[in-house]
Amino acid sequence: QAAAGIMDSATRQLQQNLTAAIDRLGKIVADDEESSITQVSAARTLLDYALRFSEFNDILRELESTEGESDVL
C-alpha cells in the first residue's frame, strides 16, 4: 500500500504541473527570440505528448464503451 500511495502522490504532482509545462512549451514554440533548435524541440515534445494523450484517451474510451460486455479484449 505504501508504494501505491507514493505512486498516487507522484501522479497528483505531475497532473498539477502538466498545464504549466504545456503552457511553457507553447510559449517557447511561439517565441521568435528562442533558437530554432529550441523551438523545434519544444514543438516535437508537444506533438509527442499530444499523440500519447490522444492514444490513451482513445483506449480509455474504448474500455469504457466495452465495460460490462463479456467478450472484452
Side-chain angles (χ1 to χ4, degrees):
Q1 281 185 345
I6 292 170
M7 289 302 295
D8 287 344
S9 177
T11 300
R12 279 192 300 279
Q13 287 179 323
L14 288 169
Q15 289 172 334
Q16 290 170 351
N17 291 306
L18 187 58
T19 301
I22 291 168
D23 288 345
R24 182 66 183 124
L25 287 168
K27 288 177 184 175
I28 292 170
V29 170
D31 187 351
D32 291 334
E33 293 185 19
E34 292 283 355
S35 70
S36 294
I37 293 171
T38 302
Q39 287 177 302
V40 169
S41 177
R44 187 174 288 140
T45 300
L46 281 172
L47 292 170
D48 182 44
Y49 282 102
L51 178 61
R52 289 182 192 195
F53 282 121
S54 294
E55 289 172 344
F56 177 78
N57 199 27
D58 290 346
I59 292 168
L60 185 60
R61 285 183 184 165
E62 181 66 25
L63 288 173
E64 289 173 346
S65 72
T66 59
E67 195 171 90
E69 294 179 12
S70 60
D71 60 343
V72 175
L73 303 176

